[in-house]
Amino acid sequence: MSSAPFWGIICPMMNHRSSVTNRTWRRHGRVLPVLLLLSFLLHLPHLRAQGPDENPDTRVENLLATMSVEERVGQLFLITFVGNDTGPDGDIARLITQDHVGGVVLLASNSNFVNNADTPRQVAELTNALQALALGQGAQIPLFVAVDHEGDGYPFTRITGGTTPLPSAMAIGATWDPANARAVGQITGLELAAMGVNLLLGPSVDVLRNPRPSGQGDMGTRTFGGDPWWVGRMGRAYIEGVHQGSGGRVATVAKHFPGHGGSDRLPDEEVATVDKSLQELKEVELAPFIAVTAGSPGEDAVTDALMSSHIRYRGFQGEVRRFTAPISFDAEGMGAILSLDELAPWRATGLMVSDSLGVPAVRKYFDPTLGSFPHRRIAKEAFLAGNDLLLLSQFDLHNDWATQVENIHDTIAFFREEYRANPAFAARVDEAVARILRLKMRLYPDFTPEAVQVHPEAANQVCGLGGQVTQHIANQALTLLYPDANAVPPPPRRGERILILTDARQVRECFAPHCRPFAPLSQTAVEEAILRAYGPQGTAQIDGADITSLPFGRLKKYLRGEPVDVDVEELLASADWIILAQQDLNPVKGPNSDTVKLFLNDSRSTLYDARLVVFAFNAPYYLDTTEISKLSLYLGAYSKVEPFVEAAVRALFGELTPVGAPPVDVAGINYDLQRQLAPDPDQTIPLALLEPSDGGPLLPPVQVRLRAGPLLDGNGHPVADGVTVAFYAEYTDGSRTLLRRSETTEGNAEVQFTLPAAGQVRFRAESGKATNSRTVVLTIQSPPTATPSPTPTEPPTPTPPPVRTTAPPSPTPEATVLPAGTDRPARAAALLLALSATTVTALVGLVLLGQERRKHKVLVVRWLALVTIGGMGGYLVYLLLTR
């Protein structure tokens, strides 16, 4: 807001040469500069904030108008690159400065960084250098810098060095506490923001309704669970945490839209198929995506983007024999989903990001013979299907970086040609770029190096401090799968021999010389945890000489009769405890991952006089009922990072009581998730009378309001929203009436109704197989017999206390709290009014100055000064009161 109007009034007065004006100015005018200075200082914060607080759509339009075709098209691409050389002659520098790509994805497998204690500083320096390239030319638009950071260490957490070891999504789900999801999100957001990463490719909100332990299509612990309501609730809490922890500087990309929990294979390997109609998808797969997009853009719990997946559908729109294309390439299919009433409001500004367009599933879909890789067609079809941001990763047939670079350059050039030649394509590009810019402006109100870049040394200090949160979640998630709590064996004693066999598979993050093989779950991880707590440095109840640790491979060779360099048979025969540390069941990525099943199905496993223990450091559903029955103890830990190993060991020694519950079906222990989440049939449902609330006599008709709950499920947690509760009335004559049904919100259900007649009524509530509830008794008196005397005035009905009901409340006027900056129109109007009044007064005074005698002129000038000072003072008071 300019201060020119003030000077327009004051300057003529200061320049008036009459002695009258000069004397008046000496008497009153020196107050004006002070008022002007105060006014400027009060307005300064608003002047500085005026740019970022400008209407987002206007800012986007203004920036888009300044961008060249090259800059617009480049914003559509999110690319991977090899190495960390950001010099002007490097591949990534040319892609940023010449092709104007909109973002990059960081991967240890591409040698962008090395995972060690110094990784946060490495990443921060790299992101600073990349952002400097983007901000140093053209429209000066910052990059998206993206990573996968799902938790559970390698392979779905890319940055593991120097950062907090985070739990898997399923471990969070096993706690049944959204506060844990929020806490992990806060750590993730804080650490990524400190490193300059601003786009999280997560969380996964897929619903694992039917686990596939065979390995094909197995999602393992990458999902919060198998119930759509709980997955959506955990997803919202996690997203909220990311936004809060990062201070709004990290955006989330919920995946894998529209959900591949029900698919028959992992889409990275081959295009997956789901046999469901759109209505069926809404009930399960789509429900969490609807949950994380519900709300206004920019709200903490609302995701910024969705990642489309390479899944095709049969019977999608009612045609049983018709297959869609993979939804990420199907404009009709994706359009039908995004136009649903539940998703359309979010889509108006929400960003769609493609999954990697170079994975084997895409290669096979576009050429089953794998003889070609039509990179132009792949990118164009993905874009026209509705993806705004295209992830070009593994973007050739053979993962050759030189070929990928050529394909990326050529694809971007092709898009530029299409933009110039095809107005419809150009309009689609502008629409997508507008969404991209809107999100970048939300991350960075100012596109300046100071606003975008981070402090590398601070990154090392901020990261890696969340271990206590992870340990808390590990303790809460740990689940006793078998046997019952009263049959758990006593802990190992001093002198007992312990044989630990671990799925210590070797992996490599890349194939550069600095990338050495390592085991995400090391061969000695369990042994080290035992010795830390119970060895000589702990309680000294276990001697290190009594523990032997071997990898699964040795046991598997022994079971197959192959030569082994240790006497496995002797170790098995002499052991008092045999502990099997299991991960998933994936023969491709873990050739020895089936060792536990081989051992339990081998007749020799029953010959050893040892207690058999399995620690499940991944999903809990890989063993069948017969295999589990041979165990002394089966614990579900859901994650392999150190805090979860620690929790499993402490439970073995009786120091920690498992309190978690599986968030997915576990057929081997007859654990059916949907049955478990139904209202517990053994509970007594609490029932409360909310209205009438006083203890006076009741005369018909009587307004009654009841609340049932909290209802608990089979795991002892409040039931999900939407569970039906039936309310009944029982009368003294033995009759029973269903009054009304209601649905739960946060475990409670309420009803309201009118009782028109006198009598005694007993109220009860039922839900599913939970048929026991507390009873509320209400006695309504008969109205008095009519007499000639005047009818006494009935006392006013007491106002019931405010309670939350499932029905939407009636609209009532309430105060509106405006966000910062939205009161500017009111301020402008007030200022305009003050200035107008002052200006009119000044003009009238100037006319009078030309007509009155000298004495009168003194009075006029004096009044002019006083009016101006009064107007300025009043305006300043207004400013102070409205700050």
Side-chain angles (χ1 to χ4, degrees):
M1 187 178 295
S2 172
S3 57
F6 293 107
W7 291 110
I9 296 171
I10 300 305
C11 289
M13 294 179 61
M14 295 178 65
N15 293 331
H16 201 286
R17 295 190 177 183
S18 72
S19 59
V20 176
T21 306
N22 290 336
R23 283 198 305 273
T24 306
W25 173 256
R26 283 194 300 271
R27 183 175 300 178
H28 302 289
R30 24 188 104 157
V31 182
L32 295 177
V34 177
L35 292 175
L36 288 170
L37 179 60
L38 286 172
S39 176
F40 175 75
L41 291 175
L42 287 170
H43 274 90
L44 186 59
H46 303 293
L47 289 168
R48 287 180 174 172
Q50 196 166 5
D53 282 351
E54 183 183 347
N55 183 285
D57 293 333
T58 302
R59 289 189 67 205
V60 168
E61 291 172 7
N62 292 341
L63 179 56
L64 192 60
T66 67
M67 295 170 64
S68 65
V69 172
E70 289 75 12
E71 289 170 331
R72 297 183 188 202
V73 167
Q75 285 296 310
L76 305 176
F77 297 95
L78 184 67
I79 65 168
T80 56
F81 63 100
V82 170
N84 53 19
D85 179 11
T86 56
D89 297 327
D91 292 326
I92 188 57
R94 286 194 294 270
L95 286 164
I96 292 173
T97 58
Q98 296 175 18
D99 287 319
H100 306 283
V101 294
V104 297
V105 180
L106 302 185
L107 296 166
S109 59
N110 280 343
S111 299
N112 299 145
F113 55 88
V114 179
N115 274 311
N116 55 38
D118 196 42
T119 303
R121 183 190 59 78
Q122 295 176 47
V123 174
E125 290 179 346
L126 177 60
T127 60
N128 280 350
L130 295 170
Q131 294 289 17
L133 290 171
L135 295 171
Q137 44 78 44
Q140 300 179 342
I141 300 171
L143 297 166
F144 283 134
V145 181
V147 295
D148 286 299
H149 208 72
E150 296 183 21
D152 195 35
Y154 179 91
F156 300 111
T157 302
R158 307 296 185 179
I159 305 175
T160 56
T163 58
T164 298
L166 297 175
S168 68
M170 187 175 288
I172 298 171
T175 69
W176 300 92
D177 188 352
N180 288 326
R182 188 177 300 107
V184 173
Q186 288 170 342
I187 294 171
T188 300
L190 174 68
E191 295 187 350
L192 293 184
M195 293 183 282
V197 176
N198 56 29
L199 193 66
L200 170 64
L201 302 179
S204 168
V205 291
D206 298 296
V207 180
L208 188 53
R209 197 62 174 268
N210 299 303
R212 290 182 171 82
S214 64
Q216 188 176 42
D218 178 35
M219 294 183 62
T221 57
R222 297 179 65 189
T223 170
F224 290 112
D227 180 77
W229 185 83
W230 275 102
V231 171
R233 193 175 183 199
M234 292 291 187
R236 282 183 65 86
Y238 182 93
I239 290 166
E240 183 178 39
V242 170
H243 289 146
Q244 292 173 349
S246 67
R249 292 171 64 93
V250 175
T252 59
V253 185
K255 58 186 182 184
H256 303 81
F257 182 80
H260 71 62
S263 61
D264 58 354
R265 66 202 64 223
L266 293 177
D268 286 349
E269 301 158 1
E270 188 175 351
V271 170
T273 303
V274 173
D275 248 338
K276 289 191 176 183
S277 67
L278 184 55
Q279 184 57 41
E280 290 173 318
L281 288 175
K282 285 178 62 176
E283 294 174 1
V284 180
E285 279 82 1
L286 275 173
F289 291 98
I290 292 171
V292 300
T293 55
S296 301
E299 288 183 9
D300 283 347
V302 176
T303 189
D304 305 281
L306 298 177
M307 177 178 284
S308 64
S309 188
H310 308 312
I311 302 174
R312 62 182 180 178
Y313 295 88
R314 183 170 65 180
F316 178 69
Q317 291 178 306
E319 299 180 35
V320 177
R321 291 180 176 81
R322 182 184 174 188
F323 286 88
T324 68
I327 210 70
S328 48
F329 300 99
D330 191 316
E332 182 182 356
M334 190 182 294
I337 297 174
L338 291 175
S339 63
L340 291 171
D341 291 342
E342 297 89 343
L343 291 169
W346 175 89
R347 176 53 177 160
T349 55
L351 192 68
M352 291 301 302
V353 182
S354 78
D355 204 343
S356 172
L357 296 180
V359 292
V362 174
R363 300 174 192 175
K364 292 178 183 177
Y365 177 75
F366 280 90
D367 185 355
T369 68
L370 295 180
S372 64
F373 184 75
H375 55 276
R376 288 186 174 188
R377 179 187 166 199
I378 290 171
K380 183 177 180 181
E381 289 192 15
F383 179 63
L384 294 180
N387 295 291
D388 305 303
L389 193 61
L390 305 178
L391 174 50
L392 306 188
S393 174
Q394 302 170 272
F395 204 54
D396 77 317
L397 269 182
H398 306 293
N399 292 331
D400 175 67
W401 173 239
T403 307
Q404 290 183 51
V405 172
E406 291 179 9
N407 289 346
I408 293 171
H409 283 304
D410 185 66
T411 299
I412 296 175
F414 170 66
F415 270 54
R416 291 197 292 259
E417 294 169 6
E418 282 287 294
Y419 186 99
R420 292 186 171 98
N422 186 340
F425 187 85
R428 170 74 184 100
V429 170
D430 289 347
E431 173 193 349
V433 174
R435 290 193 178 98
I436 292 168
L437 295 178
R438 187 177 287 105
L439 178 52
K440 289 186 175 182
M441 288 175 179
R442 200 151 62 218
L443 295 172
Y444 305 114
D446 295 315
F447 288 178
T448 62
E450 294 78 15
V452 174
Q453 294 184 326
V454 296
H455 301 285
E457 294 306 323
N460 271 355
Q461 298 171 5
V462 167
C463 295
L465 303 179
Q468 288 186 345
V469 172
T470 303
Q471 188 65 66
H472 170 74
I473 292 171
N475 295 346
Q476 282 198 326
L478 192 71
T479 302
L480 177 62
L481 299 168
Y482 181 84
D484 292 335
N486 55 7
V488 172
R493 296 173 295 183
R494 187 172 185 82
E496 292 185 332
R497 304 294 300 273
I498 302 174
L499 174 61
I500 303 171
L501 298 142
T502 304
D503 184 0
R505 64 186 71 169
Q506 296 285 303
V507 299
R508 295 184 66 167
E509 288 190 309
C510 70
F511 293 96
H514 66 265
C515 285
R516 299 182 178 277
F518 71 98
L521 180 64
S522 75
Q523 175 181 323
T524 58
V526 176
E527 177 181 349
E528 291 168 1
I530 292 175
L531 293 177
R532 276 196 303 272
Y534 308 106
Q537 302 304 316
T539 62
Q541 67 194 84
I542 297 296
D543 189 333
D546 292 330
I547 303 179
T548 302
S549 297
L550 296 177
F552 271 9
R554 304 279 179 85
L555 177 58
K556 189 171 183 178
K557 284 185 176 181
Y558 163 73
L559 295 173
R560 288 181 169 181
E562 300 174 9
V564 190
D565 56 358
V566 295
D567 193 344
V568 176
E569 183 174 5
E570 169 60 24
L571 290 171
L572 291 169
S574 62
D576 298 291
W577 293 82
I578 299 174
I579 300 175
L580 299 151
Q582 184 183 35
Q583 294 194 58
D584 58 3
L585 186 62
N586 191 330
V588 175
K589 296 182 179 179
N592 298 317
S593 61
D594 59 348
T595 300
V596 175
K597 294 180 76 68
L598 290 175
F599 177 66
L600 294 176
N601 287 303
D602 191 287
S603 59
R604 287 169 288 186
S605 66
T606 60
L607 301 178
Y608 306 115
D609 187 19
R611 290 187 170 94
L612 298 180
V613 177
V614 170
F615 292 157
F617 290 119
N618 197 275
Y621 47 66
Y622 296 114
L623 301 182
D624 63 32
T625 304
T626 301
E627 292 159 350
I628 292 172
S629 69
K630 298 176 182 180
L631 301 176
S632 301
L633 182 64
Y634 185 24
L635 290 174
Y638 307 99
S639 189
K640 62 184 179 295
V641 295
E642 185 177 299
F644 290 84
V645 178
E646 187 86 16
V649 165
R650 290 185 179 275
L652 173 67
F653 280 82
E655 187 177 338
L656 177 66
T657 301
V659 295
V664 291
D665 290 346
V666 184
I669 60 172
N670 194 30
Y671 181 91
D672 181 272
L673 183 63
Q674 297 311 305
R675 183 180 65 231
Q676 201 72 16
L677 295 183
D680 183 0
D682 296 330
Q683 70 183 305
T684 298
I685 301 173
L687 188 63
L689 179 67
L690 302 180
E691 185 183 345
S693 58
D694 66 350
L698 301 175
L699 300 176
V702 176
Q703 292 290 327
V704 179
R705 189 151 57 102
L706 297 171
R707 175 195 291 159
L711 273 74
L712 302 181
D713 62 23
N715 290 328
H717 305 116
V719 296
D721 289 358
V723 173
T724 300
V725 179
F727 292 82
Y728 291 93
E730 298 175 348
Y731 300 93
T732 52
D733 61 1
S735 61
R736 186 171 186 259
T737 302
L738 173 63
L739 294 170
R740 193 161 298 175
R741 298 183 190 274
S742 180
E743 293 185 345
T744 55
T745 299
E746 298 184 358
N748 297 295
E750 294 185 10
V751 291
Q752 187 168 347
F753 49 89
T754 301
L755 291 179
Q760 188 180 73
V761 188
R762 299 165 59 91
F763 300 108
R764 298 181 62 260
E766 298 180 5
S767 182
K769 294 183 179 180
T771 57
N772 297 320
S773 81
R774 290 183 59 189
T775 301
V776 170
V777 179
L778 196 62
T779 300
I780 304 173
Q781 298 178 1
S782 300
T785 305
T787 63
S789 60
T791 303
T793 304
E794 184 177 330
T797 302
T799 303
V803 295
R804 182 170 183 175
T805 64
T806 55
S810 302
T812 56
E814 56 185 34
T816 302
V817 180
L818 297 177
T822 56
D823 59 345
R824 285 203 185 111
R827 293 191 181 194
L831 176 61
L832 183 60
L833 181 61
L835 292 181
S836 300
T838 307
T839 303
V840 170
T841 304
L843 291 175
V844 172
L846 290 174
V847 172
L848 292 175
L849 280 173
Q851 298 176 355
E852 297 291 336
R853 294 193 306 267
R854 186 174 185 274
K855 181 178 179 181
H856 291 163
K857 288 182 178 181
V858 172
L859 293 174
V860 170
V861 172
R862 182 176 299 173
W863 279 106
L864 280 174
L866 290 174
V867 168
T868 303
I869 293 170
M872 288 293 299
Y875 178 63
L876 288 175
V877 170
Y878 171 77
L879 279 179
L880 289 170
L881 292 176
T882 56
R883 281 173 65 80

